[in-house]
Amino acid sequence: MNQFSRRIFVAGNWKMLTTPAEAAALVKALKVKVVNIHQTEMAVCPPFTNLSIVAELLKGTAIKLGAQNLFWEEEGAYTGEISAKMLLGAGCEYVIIGHSERRQYFGETDATVNRRLKRALAAGLLPIVCVGETLAQRQAGETEKVVETQVRGAFAEISPADFAKVVIAYEPVWAIGTGVNATPEQAQEVHAFIRRLLENLYNRELSAGCRIQYGGSVKPANAAELMRQPDVDGALVGGASLQAESFAAIIKTAEDLDKG
Ligand code: PEP
């Protein structure tokens, strides 16, 4: 927790990995490793097919459950899609929206991120909204412009009361799954930029209270220096969340940070 009551939040994105048996083994191994975590908020986001089994195994623990996507319609003839109500029924509290892999491979745009966000909030799911620039955009000096467009697009027509429930993940695309993380300075610079932008879009209080996770090749070795940055409020972890050992180590690092 920092002086703005931003509780550090570490979430694991399991992507399209883990069978039900593998998911069960992973969560069983994880939960015994984090029994002494009390300050840091923790969540895992398995694939849809593993949500119920993981929810069952998480009962009685402090680890929360999230999904990796949802559809914006309430229900109906949308073959292959998953609704907010289904996620809630499966035990989810959180949902990742607008991950760069969805933008890259599945045509996700700022407009569809906004539609999904509205549905998640209306249903009572807590969204983790992902933004971040590609390497080409960074090299062209467009990082702030790209992130600003994504933030403005995602939060169009989102009320201050709803915005207060949102977590943002800054995930530079070039850092996701590459082993090349943003430096703590690069992360802090963009997080501070997002916070200034949020102050403009909403107000100082909501901006100061909004948790902004960093994502992109976070591992035990770099977690402390990244999460120690004043505007970095935790991590969205892909690869390193697929092993109980490394994910628990990142959570413990968060727990040990003294961010007054
Ligand atoms: C992610 O999938 O959100 C992510 C940050 O992946 P990785 O930690 O593997 O870079």
Tab-separated table of all heavy atoms in Angstrom, residues 19-72:
chain	number	residue	atom	x	y	z
A	19	THR	N	-3.685	-27.228	-19.386
A	19	THR	CA	-4.857	-28.104	-19.423
A	19	THR	C	-5.506	-28.014	-18.040
A	19	THR	O	-4.882	-27.474	-17.102
A	19	THR	CB	-4.418	-29.565	-19.662
A	19	THR	OG1	-3.586	-29.948	-18.550
A	19	THR	CG2	-3.636	-29.717	-20.960
A	20	PRO	N	-6.715	-28.546	-17.874
A	20	PRO	CA	-7.295	-28.538	-16.525
A	20	PRO	C	-6.371	-29.177	-15.482
A	20	PRO	O	-6.209	-28.648	-14.382
A	20	PRO	CB	-8.595	-29.326	-16.714
A	20	PRO	CG	-8.973	-29.078	-18.148
A	20	PRO	CD	-7.675	-29.030	-18.897
A	21	ALA	N	-5.760	-30.287	-15.833
A	21	ALA	CA	-4.873	-30.962	-14.866
A	21	ALA	C	-3.659	-30.082	-14.540
A	21	ALA	O	-3.237	-29.985	-13.381
A	21	ALA	CB	-4.422	-32.303	-15.428
A	22	GLU	N	-3.110	-29.444	-15.564
A	22	GLU	CA	-1.938	-28.571	-15.322
A	22	GLU	C	-2.331	-27.345	-14.492
A	22	GLU	O	-1.589	-26.894	-13.628
A	22	GLU	CB	-1.338	-28.124	-16.663
A	22	GLU	CG	-0.600	-29.241	-17.392
A	22	GLU	CD	-0.329	-28.937	-18.863
A	22	GLU	OE1	-0.906	-27.963	-19.416
A	22	GLU	OE2	0.430	-29.700	-19.473
A	23	ALA	N	-3.512	-26.812	-14.775
A	23	ALA	CA	-3.979	-25.643	-14.018
A	23	ALA	C	-4.163	-26.000	-12.550
A	23	ALA	O	-3.771	-25.239	-11.651
A	23	ALA	CB	-5.293	-25.136	-14.606
A	24	ALA	N	-4.747	-27.173	-12.311
A	24	ALA	CA	-4.968	-27.606	-10.926
A	24	ALA	C	-3.630	-27.772	-10.206
A	24	ALA	O	-3.462	-27.326	-9.061
A	24	ALA	CB	-5.756	-28.912	-10.921
A	25	ALA	N	-2.678	-28.394	-10.884
A	25	ALA	CA	-1.363	-28.611	-10.256
A	25	ALA	C	-0.694	-27.272	-9.956
A	25	ALA	O	-0.103	-27.077	-8.880
A	25	ALA	CB	-0.485	-29.458	-11.180
A	26	LEU	N	-0.816	-26.329	-10.890
A	26	LEU	CA	-0.176	-25.016	-10.713
A	26	LEU	C	-0.776	-24.258	-9.536
A	26	LEU	O	-0.065	-23.708	-8.691
A	26	LEU	CB	-0.322	-24.221	-12.021
A	26	LEU	CG	0.168	-22.787	-12.051
A	26	LEU	CD1	1.626	-22.683	-11.599
A	26	LEU	CD2	0.035	-22.210	-13.473
A	27	VAL	N	-2.080	-24.257	-9.460
A	27	VAL	CA	-2.710	-23.479	-8.400
A	27	VAL	C	-2.514	-24.141	-7.031
A	27	VAL	O	-2.339	-23.463	-6.021
A	27	VAL	CB	-4.182	-23.179	-8.750
A	27	VAL	CG1	-5.112	-24.303	-8.385
A	27	VAL	CG2	-4.635	-21.888	-8.122
A	28	LYS	N	-2.471	-25.466	-7.014
A	28	LYS	CA	-2.194	-26.165	-5.742
A	28	LYS	C	-0.796	-25.813	-5.249
A	28	LYS	O	-0.579	-25.571	-4.064
A	28	LYS	CB	-2.306	-27.684	-5.933
A	28	LYS	CG	-3.732	-28.189	-5.915
A	28	LYS	CD	-3.754	-29.715	-6.062
A	28	LYS	CE	-5.135	-30.205	-6.420
A	28	LYS	NZ	-5.152	-31.570	-6.933
A	29	ALA	N	0.146	-25.783	-6.178
A	29	ALA	CA	1.525	-25.454	-5.786
A	29	ALA	C	1.629	-23.999	-5.359
A	29	ALA	O	2.349	-23.656	-4.413
A	29	ALA	CB	2.466	-25.725	-6.962
A	30	LEU	N	0.884	-23.133	-6.035
A	30	LEU	CA	0.969	-21.699	-5.736
A	30	LEU	C	0.380	-21.377	-4.372
A	30	LEU	O	0.966	-20.630	-3.580
A	30	LEU	CB	0.237	-20.898	-6.833
A	30	LEU	CG	0.172	-19.402	-6.616
A	30	LEU	CD1	1.573	-18.781	-6.687
A	30	LEU	CD2	-0.750	-18.740	-7.647
A	31	LYS	N	-0.763	-21.950	-4.091
A	31	LYS	CA	-1.461	-21.482	-2.883
A	31	LYS	C	-0.697	-21.784	-1.599
A	31	LYS	O	-0.754	-21.001	-0.661
A	31	LYS	CB	-2.916	-21.946	-2.848
A	31	LYS	CG	-3.169	-23.404	-2.741
A	31	LYS	CD	-4.694	-23.620	-2.831
A	31	LYS	CE	-5.050	-25.053	-2.542
A	31	LYS	NZ	-6.479	-25.300	-2.611
A	32	VAL	N	0.061	-22.860	-1.578
A	32	VAL	CA	0.837	-23.128	-0.353
A	32	VAL	C	2.019	-22.167	-0.212
A	32	VAL	O	2.501	-21.914	0.881
A	32	VAL	CB	1.328	-24.593	-0.267
A	32	VAL	CG1	0.158	-25.543	-0.171
A	32	VAL	CG2	2.220	-24.959	-1.447
A	33	LYS	N	2.450	-21.617	-1.339
A	33	LYS	CA	3.611	-20.718	-1.287
A	33	LYS	C	3.239	-19.292	-0.872
A	33	LYS	O	4.111	-18.491	-0.562
A	33	LYS	CB	4.299	-20.660	-2.666
A	33	LYS	CG	5.017	-21.940	-3.040
A	33	LYS	CD	5.729	-21.752	-4.367
A	33	LYS	CE	6.284	-23.062	-4.913
A	33	LYS	NZ	7.243	-23.732	-4.047
A	34	VAL	N	1.964	-18.960	-0.924
A	34	VAL	CA	1.593	-17.561	-0.651
A	34	VAL	C	0.671	-17.432	0.571
A	34	VAL	O	-0.010	-16.420	0.724
A	34	VAL	CB	0.960	-16.890	-1.901
A	34	VAL	CG1	1.956	-16.833	-3.041
A	34	VAL	CG2	-0.316	-17.593	-2.342
A	35	VAL	N	0.689	-18.446	1.430
A	35	VAL	CA	-0.206	-18.384	2.601
A	35	VAL	C	0.110	-17.201	3.517
A	35	VAL	O	-0.763	-16.718	4.232
A	35	VAL	CB	-0.189	-19.689	3.453
A	35	VAL	CG1	-1.072	-20.741	2.865
A	35	VAL	CG2	1.224	-20.178	3.659
A	36	ASN	N	1.355	-16.744	3.474
A	36	ASN	CA	1.717	-15.646	4.383
A	36	ASN	C	1.647	-14.270	3.731
A	36	ASN	O	2.181	-13.298	4.261
A	36	ASN	CB	3.121	-15.872	4.951
A	36	ASN	CG	3.128	-17.069	5.883
A	36	ASN	OD1	2.158	-17.275	6.633
A	36	ASN	ND2	4.168	-17.876	5.816
A	37	ILE	N	1.023	-14.184	2.589
A	37	ILE	CA	0.895	-12.892	1.902
A	37	ILE	C	-0.378	-12.207	2.392
A	37	ILE	O	-1.475	-12.763	2.263
A	37	ILE	CB	0.842	-13.098	0.367
A	37	ILE	CG1	2.105	-13.804	-0.136
A	37	ILE	CG2	0.615	-11.764	-0.360
A	37	ILE	CD1	3.397	-13.049	0.020
A	38	HIS	N	-0.231	-11.020	2.949
A	38	HIS	CA	-1.409	-10.338	3.501
A	38	HIS	C	-1.631	-8.950	2.895
A	38	HIS	O	-2.746	-8.457	2.862
A	38	HIS	CB	-1.279	-10.213	5.025
A	38	HIS	CG	-1.114	-11.548	5.690
A	38	HIS	ND1	-2.098	-12.510	5.686
A	38	HIS	CD2	-0.058	-12.093	6.350
A	38	HIS	CE1	-1.663	-13.587	6.319
A	38	HIS	NE2	-0.429	-13.362	6.731
A	39	GLN	N	-0.556	-8.298	2.456
A	39	GLN	CA	-0.693	-6.922	1.956
A	39	GLN	C	-0.980	-6.897	0.452
A	39	GLN	O	-1.755	-6.085	-0.035
A	39	GLN	CB	0.600	-6.115	2.192
A	39	GLN	CG	1.126	-6.163	3.618
A	39	GLN	CD	0.133	-5.607	4.611
A	39	GLN	OE1	-0.609	-4.672	4.302
A	39	GLN	NE2	0.085	-6.186	5.781
A	40	THR	N	-0.281	-7.740	-0.263
A	40	THR	CA	-0.339	-7.709	-1.727
A	40	THR	C	-1.598	-8.405	-2.235
A	40	THR	O	-1.929	-9.499	-1.777
A	40	THR	CB	0.906	-8.432	-2.292
A	40	THR	OG1	2.064	-7.793	-1.748
A	40	THR	CG2	0.956	-8.378	-3.805
A	41	GLU	N	-2.274	-7.772	-3.172
A	41	GLU	CA	-3.419	-8.439	-3.804
A	41	GLU	C	-2.884	-9.380	-4.888
A	41	GLU	O	-1.935	-9.039	-5.604
A	41	GLU	CB	-4.361	-7.395	-4.405
A	41	GLU	CG	-5.637	-8.037	-4.905
A	41	GLU	CD	-6.708	-7.022	-5.279
A	41	GLU	OE1	-6.498	-5.807	-5.084
A	41	GLU	OE2	-7.746	-7.468	-5.785
A	42	MET	N	-3.490	-10.556	-4.989
A	42	MET	CA	-3.006	-11.572	-5.938
A	42	MET	C	-4.178	-12.092	-6.764
A	42	MET	O	-5.278	-12.254	-6.233
A	42	MET	CB	-2.443	-12.791	-5.184
A	42	MET	CG	-1.391	-12.490	-4.175
A	42	MET	SD	-1.020	-13.996	-3.188
A	42	MET	CE	-2.239	-13.884	-1.887
A	43	ALA	N	-3.913	-12.368	-8.029
A	43	ALA	CA	-4.941	-12.988	-8.874
A	43	ALA	C	-4.284	-13.861	-9.923
A	43	ALA	O	-3.132	-13.619	-10.312
A	43	ALA	CB	-5.800	-11.911	-9.550
A	44	VAL	N	-5.016	-14.876	-10.362
A	44	VAL	CA	-4.582	-15.653	-11.523
A	44	VAL	C	-5.696	-15.609	-12.572
A	44	VAL	O	-6.877	-15.572	-12.233
A	44	VAL	CB	-4.256	-17.131	-11.167
A	44	VAL	CG1	-2.991	-17.207	-10.320
A	44	VAL	CG2	-5.418	-17.831	-10.463
A	45	CYS	N	-5.286	-15.584	-13.824
A	45	CYS	CA	-6.237	-15.506	-14.940
A	45	CYS	C	-6.008	-16.688	-15.881
A	45	CYS	O	-5.268	-16.590	-16.869
A	45	CYS	CB	-6.061	-14.182	-15.687
A	45	CYS	SG	-6.210	-12.725	-14.621
A	46	PRO	N	-6.610	-17.822	-15.565
A	46	PRO	CA	-6.452	-19.017	-16.414
A	46	PRO	C	-7.325	-18.920	-17.666
A	46	PRO	O	-8.195	-18.054	-17.740
A	46	PRO	CB	-6.967	-20.154	-15.519
A	46	PRO	CG	-7.290	-19.552	-14.191
A	46	PRO	CD	-7.452	-18.071	-14.400
A	47	PRO	N	-7.139	-19.837	-18.613
A	47	PRO	CA	-8.060	-19.899	-19.755
A	47	PRO	C	-9.474	-20.223	-19.266
A	47	PRO	O	-9.640	-20.813	-18.197
A	47	PRO	CB	-7.510	-21.056	-20.593
A	47	PRO	CG	-6.180	-21.395	-20.040
A	47	PRO	CD	-6.086	-20.841	-18.665
A	48	PHE	N	-10.468	-19.875	-20.076
A	48	PHE	CA	-11.875	-20.074	-19.688
A	48	PHE	C	-12.157	-21.491	-19.174
A	48	PHE	O	-12.872	-21.672	-18.196
A	48	PHE	CB	-12.800	-19.832	-20.886
A	48	PHE	CG	-12.809	-18.404	-21.366
A	48	PHE	CD1	-12.720	-18.126	-22.729
A	48	PHE	CD2	-12.932	-17.347	-20.483
A	48	PHE	CE1	-12.756	-16.814	-23.190
A	48	PHE	CE2	-12.966	-16.029	-20.934
A	48	PHE	CZ	-12.874	-15.764	-22.289
A	49	THR	N	-11.594	-22.482	-19.881
A	49	THR	CA	-11.921	-23.877	-19.560
A	49	THR	C	-11.420	-24.291	-18.182
A	49	THR	O	-11.837	-25.332	-17.662
A	49	THR	CB	-11.299	-24.819	-20.613
A	49	THR	OG1	-9.944	-24.400	-20.817
A	49	THR	CG2	-12.058	-24.755	-21.925
A	50	ASN	N	-10.522	-23.514	-17.602
A	50	ASN	CA	-9.979	-23.876	-16.293
A	50	ASN	C	-10.488	-22.985	-15.170
A	50	ASN	O	-10.056	-23.138	-14.019
A	50	ASN	CB	-8.439	-23.821	-16.319
A	50	ASN	CG	-7.866	-24.832	-17.291
A	50	ASN	OD1	-8.531	-25.807	-17.630
A	50	ASN	ND2	-6.660	-24.604	-17.749
A	51	LEU	N	-11.388	-22.072	-15.487
A	51	LEU	CA	-11.825	-21.131	-14.444
A	51	LEU	C	-12.506	-21.858	-13.272
A	51	LEU	O	-12.184	-21.612	-12.116
A	51	LEU	CB	-12.775	-20.082	-15.037
A	51	LEU	CG	-12.122	-19.047	-15.962
A	51	LEU	CD1	-13.189	-18.174	-16.614
A	51	LEU	CD2	-11.128	-18.178	-15.196
A	52	SER	N	-13.446	-22.739	-13.589
A	52	SER	CA	-14.219	-23.364	-12.509
A	52	SER	C	-13.343	-24.239	-11.617
A	52	SER	O	-13.449	-24.189	-10.391
A	52	SER	CB	-15.362	-24.195	-13.077
A	52	SER	OG	-16.269	-23.318	-13.703
A	53	ILE	N	-12.460	-24.993	-12.236
A	53	ILE	CA	-11.609	-25.886	-11.437
A	53	ILE	C	-10.661	-25.061	-10.558
A	53	ILE	O	-10.450	-25.363	-9.386
A	53	ILE	CB	-10.850	-26.902	-12.343
A	53	ILE	CG1	-10.115	-27.921	-11.470
A	53	ILE	CG2	-9.877	-26.276	-13.270
A	53	ILE	CD1	-9.539	-29.082	-12.264
A	54	VAL	N	-10.161	-23.968	-11.123
A	54	VAL	CA	-9.251	-23.113	-10.338
A	54	VAL	C	-10.035	-22.398	-9.238
A	54	VAL	O	-9.572	-22.288	-8.100
A	54	VAL	CB	-8.493	-22.123	-11.258
A	54	VAL	CG1	-7.732	-21.086	-10.444
A	54	VAL	CG2	-7.528	-22.881	-12.167
A	55	ALA	N	-11.255	-21.970	-9.551
A	55	ALA	CA	-12.084	-21.295	-8.538
A	55	ALA	C	-12.291	-22.208	-7.339
A	55	ALA	O	-12.196	-21.779	-6.181
A	55	ALA	CB	-13.433	-20.913	-9.145
A	56	GLU	N	-12.560	-23.449	-7.609
A	56	GLU	CA	-12.788	-24.430	-6.539
A	56	GLU	C	-11.536	-24.552	-5.659
A	56	GLU	O	-11.620	-24.525	-4.434
A	56	GLU	CB	-13.114	-25.772	-7.208
A	56	GLU	CG	-13.793	-26.785	-6.345
A	56	GLU	CD	-15.059	-26.280	-5.675
A	56	GLU	OE1	-15.841	-25.556	-6.317
A	56	GLU	OE2	-15.241	-26.611	-4.473
A	57	LEU	N	-10.398	-24.622	-6.317
A	57	LEU	CA	-9.136	-24.796	-5.571
A	57	LEU	C	-8.718	-23.534	-4.829
A	57	LEU	O	-7.942	-23.590	-3.884
A	57	LEU	CB	-8.025	-25.236	-6.536
A	57	LEU	CG	-8.189	-26.662	-7.085
A	57	LEU	CD1	-7.267	-26.895	-8.270
A	57	LEU	CD2	-7.904	-27.691	-5.986
A	58	LEU	N	-9.219	-22.381	-5.269
A	58	LEU	CA	-8.837	-21.114	-4.616
A	58	LEU	C	-9.700	-20.796	-3.400
A	58	LEU	O	-9.404	-19.859	-2.662
A	58	LEU	CB	-8.931	-19.947	-5.614
A	58	LEU	CG	-7.872	-19.917	-6.714
A	58	LEU	CD1	-8.080	-18.703	-7.609
A	58	LEU	CD2	-6.470	-19.906	-6.130
A	59	LYS	N	-10.767	-21.566	-3.199
A	59	LYS	CA	-11.658	-21.286	-2.058
A	59	LYS	C	-10.870	-21.286	-0.758
A	59	LYS	O	-10.066	-22.192	-0.512
A	59	LYS	CB	-12.779	-22.324	-1.997
A	59	LYS	CG	-13.905	-21.988	-2.947
A	59	LYS	CD	-15.099	-22.900	-2.775
A	59	LYS	CE	-16.126	-22.562	-3.845
A	59	LYS	NZ	-16.945	-23.705	-4.232
A	60	GLY	N	-11.095	-20.265	0.043
A	60	GLY	CA	-10.401	-20.199	1.330
A	60	GLY	C	-9.013	-19.593	1.247
A	60	GLY	O	-8.309	-19.494	2.245
A	61	THR	N	-8.577	-19.191	0.046
A	61	THR	CA	-7.279	-18.528	-0.106
A	61	THR	C	-7.516	-17.044	-0.419
A	61	THR	O	-8.648	-16.626	-0.681
A	61	THR	CB	-6.446	-19.131	-1.269
A	61	THR	OG1	-6.980	-18.632	-2.516
A	61	THR	CG2	-6.466	-20.647	-1.270
A	62	ALA	N	-6.434	-16.275	-0.423
A	62	ALA	CA	-6.557	-14.842	-0.743
A	62	ALA	C	-6.340	-14.578	-2.233
A	62	ALA	O	-6.365	-13.433	-2.675
A	62	ALA	CB	-5.544	-14.050	0.081
A	63	ILE	N	-6.116	-15.647	-2.989
A	63	ILE	CA	-5.848	-15.459	-4.430
A	63	ILE	C	-7.180	-15.306	-5.160
A	63	ILE	O	-8.087	-16.121	-5.001
A	63	ILE	CB	-5.084	-16.666	-5.018
A	63	ILE	CG1	-3.826	-16.967	-4.198
A	63	ILE	CG2	-4.735	-16.425	-6.486
A	63	ILE	CD1	-3.172	-18.302	-4.543
A	64	LYS	N	-7.260	-14.254	-5.959
A	64	LYS	CA	-8.500	-14.007	-6.699
A	64	LYS	C	-8.420	-14.569	-8.117
A	64	LYS	O	-7.342	-14.871	-8.609
A	64	LYS	CB	-8.764	-12.502	-6.725
A	64	LYS	CG	-9.048	-12.003	-5.312
A	64	LYS	CD	-9.133	-10.531	-5.218
A	64	LYS	CE	-9.449	-10.146	-3.782
A	64	LYS	NZ	-9.370	-8.700	-3.606
A	65	LEU	N	-9.601	-14.660	-8.712
A	65	LEU	CA	-9.674	-15.261	-10.039
A	65	LEU	C	-10.053	-14.212	-11.084
A	65	LEU	O	-10.938	-13.381	-10.851
A	65	LEU	CB	-10.734	-16.374	-10.019
A	65	LEU	CG	-10.848	-17.233	-11.269
A	65	LEU	CD1	-9.578	-18.064	-11.478
A	65	LEU	CD2	-12.055	-18.174	-11.163
A	66	GLY	N	-9.381	-14.269	-12.219
A	66	GLY	CA	-9.718	-13.376	-13.321
A	66	GLY	C	-9.799	-14.148	-14.628
A	66	GLY	O	-9.245	-15.248	-14.739
A	67	ALA	N	-10.495	-13.574	-15.608
A	67	ALA	CA	-10.542	-14.157	-16.947
A	67	ALA	C	-9.679	-13.291	-17.870
A	67	ALA	O	-9.245	-12.201	-17.489
A	67	ALA	CB	-11.978	-14.213	-17.445
A	68	GLN	N	-9.476	-13.784	-19.078
A	68	GLN	CA	-8.574	-13.084	-20.008
A	68	GLN	C	-9.303	-12.239	-21.049
A	68	GLN	O	-8.673	-11.546	-21.842
A	68	GLN	CB	-7.689	-14.105	-20.717
A	68	GLN	CG	-6.819	-14.906	-19.782
A	68	GLN	CD	-6.098	-16.030	-20.495
A	68	GLN	OE1	-5.953	-16.025	-21.714
A	68	GLN	NE2	-5.636	-17.001	-19.733
A	69	ASN	N	-10.639	-12.339	-21.057
A	69	ASN	CA	-11.428	-11.612	-22.051
A	69	ASN	C	-12.898	-11.835	-21.729
A	69	ASN	O	-13.236	-12.702	-20.918
A	69	ASN	CB	-11.110	-12.150	-23.464
A	69	ASN	CG	-11.730	-11.323	-24.570
A	69	ASN	OD1	-11.977	-10.124	-24.420
A	69	ASN	ND2	-11.993	-11.950	-25.694
A	70	LEU	N	-13.766	-11.047	-22.316
A	70	LEU	CA	-15.216	-11.296	-22.251
A	70	LEU	C	-15.844	-10.672	-23.494
A	70	LEU	O	-15.195	-9.861	-24.178
A	70	LEU	CB	-15.850	-10.704	-20.984
A	70	LEU	CG	-16.264	-9.227	-20.991
A	70	LEU	CD1	-17.138	-8.920	-19.804
A	70	LEU	CD2	-15.071	-8.294	-21.019
A	71	PHE	N	-17.081	-11.052	-23.787
A	71	PHE	CA	-17.786	-10.429	-24.913
A	71	PHE	C	-18.692	-9.325	-24.382
A	71	PHE	O	-19.143	-9.381	-23.237
A	71	PHE	CB	-18.597	-11.469	-25.688
A	71	PHE	CG	-19.139	-10.934	-26.987
A	71	PHE	CD1	-18.327	-10.249	-27.871
A	71	PHE	CD2	-20.480	-11.115	-27.322
A	71	PHE	CE1	-18.833	-9.740	-29.071
A	71	PHE	CE2	-20.991	-10.616	-28.517
A	71	PHE	CZ	-20.168	-9.922	-29.390
A	72	TRP	N	-18.982	-8.335	-25.234
A	72	TRP	CA	-19.720	-7.164	-24.750
A	72	TRP	C	-21.230	-7.343	-24.700
A	72	TRP	O	-21.905	-6.598	-24.026
A	72	TRP	CB	-19.363	-5.922	-25.548
A	72	TRP	CG	-19.556	-6.046	-27.037
A	72	TRP	CD1	-20.723	-6.003	-27.720
A	72	TRP	CD2	-18.517	-6.233	-28.002
A	72	TRP	NE1	-20.499	-6.152	-29.065
A	72	TRP	CE2	-19.144	-6.289	-29.267
A	72	TRP	CE3	-17.127	-6.357	-27.942
A	72	TRP	CZ2	-18.422	-6.463	-30.449
A	72	TRP	CZ3	-16.421	-6.529	-29.110
A	72	TRP	CH2	-17.066	-6.579	-30.341
